Amino acid sequence: MRYPKLRELKEAIKALLKGPYTSKFPCQPHQPYERFRGRPYFHEEDCTGCAACAQVCPAKAIEVEDIIQDGQAKRKLTIHWDICIFCGQCQANCLTGKGIILSQEFAFATTENRQQLKDGVEKDFVLCDCCAQPIVPSAQYTWVAKRLGPLTFSNASLMLFYLKSFGLALKENISRRKEGDFLRSDRIKILCPRCRRQAVIKS
Ligand code: SF4
Ligand code: SF4
């Protein structure tokens, strides 16, 4: 006959004194452990719209839509909880570290349409002053400018965007240019990389 090991005996005695390890959920509420990974939520204030979270998501649970309509451009990020595997990669690789955070929520079984199981955030884009194409979400530009500090003034587009956000530079109307039509003055505008290259070559 094999005797139980001391370690197993110790665990058995502990379980007898402390009660069962399992919880009585769903009859009684369950409080998960502190580091439990549950349903992720976007945090509007801290999300820049960079979409890094979507790129690292192994389950492709984060959808990115760039919508251009009536001279406006928006980036829409949607997390589909029915596809999410709660790995935490989005939070771990978030640009700001706080744009998407996993909560401790784990009970979201539903009889409703699974398409309802989602959370989303929308961010405005900065548009190129010469071709009106989206360059980068404005929240991401602001975040980069704050990180760079005085170095922001080494990049014309970033500098102008930052000054405009404080009302210290005039807002340009978009003046569309064809290739070869760029002027020297276009260099002092917010430009996408393609238009910046054309403006620099022209001048
Ligand atoms: S927790 Fe994992 S699967 Fe869920 S959205 Fe984040 S990266 Fe994707
Ligand atoms: S800031 Fe974070 S949450 Fe927002 S899009 Fe970028 S990686 Fe995703």
Side-chain angles (χ1 to χ4, degrees):
M1 178 184 163
R2 291 185 65 185
Y3 295 102
K5 292 180 200 154
L6 278 178
R7 182 170 55 85
E8 288 159 348
L9 262 177
K10 191 174 141 201
E11 289 301 324
I13 293 164
K14 255 169 56 182
L16 273 175
L17 296 174
K18 284 191 175 172
Y21 185 79
T22 50
S23 72
K24 293 199 167 135
F25 180 83
C27 298
Q28 289 175 9
H30 172 68
Q31 178 59 42
Y33 286 103
E34 201 181 319
R35 294 178 64 191
F36 179 84
R37 297 195 302 253
R39 177 172 14 201
Y41 282 96
F42 282 111
H43 290 252
E44 171 83 41
E45 293 284 300
D46 296 307
C47 173
T48 64
C50 68
C53 51
Q55 287 180 10
V56 298
C57 175
K60 305 275 177 246
I62 301 177
E63 188 185 352
V64 183
E65 291 171 88
D66 291 343
I67 304 158
I68 307 171
Q69 209 171 32
D70 305 328
Q72 303 281 324
K74 276 184 188 298
R75 171 165 284 172
K76 195 172 164 197
L77 290 145
T78 310
I79 174 160
H80 296 278
W81 291 320
D82 56 327
I83 302 175
C84 176
I85 56 172
F86 313 106
C87 63
Q89 285 301 307
C90 49
Q91 181 179 329
N93 292 284
C94 173
L95 182 70
T96 64
K98 299 180 283 183
I100 188 164
I101 295 180
L102 275 68
S103 67
Q104 291 199 320
E105 291 174 26
F106 61 92
F108 47 97
T110 179
T111 52
E112 304 293 324
N113 185 345
R114 60 186 282 186
Q115 299 298 326
Q116 307 292 326
L117 294 170
K118 62 182 179 185
D119 182 38
V121 74
E122 278 188 11
K123 296 284 161 182
D124 288 333
F125 263 116
V126 178
L127 299 182
C128 173
D129 284 341
C130 281
C131 70
Q133 288 302 304
I135 306 175
V136 67
S138 40
Q140 189 179 348
Y141 237 11
T142 307
W143 185 85
V144 171
K146 283 184 182 160
R147 293 274 292 195
L148 285 178
L151 288 177
T152 297
F153 292 84
S154 62
N155 179 298
S157 295
L158 192 53
M159 172 189 75
L160 285 166
F161 169 80
Y162 201 53
L163 291 177
K164 278 177 192 171
S165 65
F166 289 107
L168 296 173
L170 292 176
K171 192 165 169 38
E172 293 274 344
N173 289 325
I174 290 173
S175 41
R176 291 178 186 272
R177 303 258 188 257
K178 287 188 196 140
E179 205 165 312
D181 285 351
F182 283 85
L183 305 172
R184 186 178 172 81
S185 58
D186 288 333
R187 290 183 65 164
I188 313 300
K189 284 185 177 173
I190 296 176
L191 300 179
C192 68
R194 186 187 150 279
C195 289
R196 169 84 43 215
R197 191 170 63 250
Q198 292 293 332
V200 169
I201 291 170
K202 183 70 184 176
S203 60

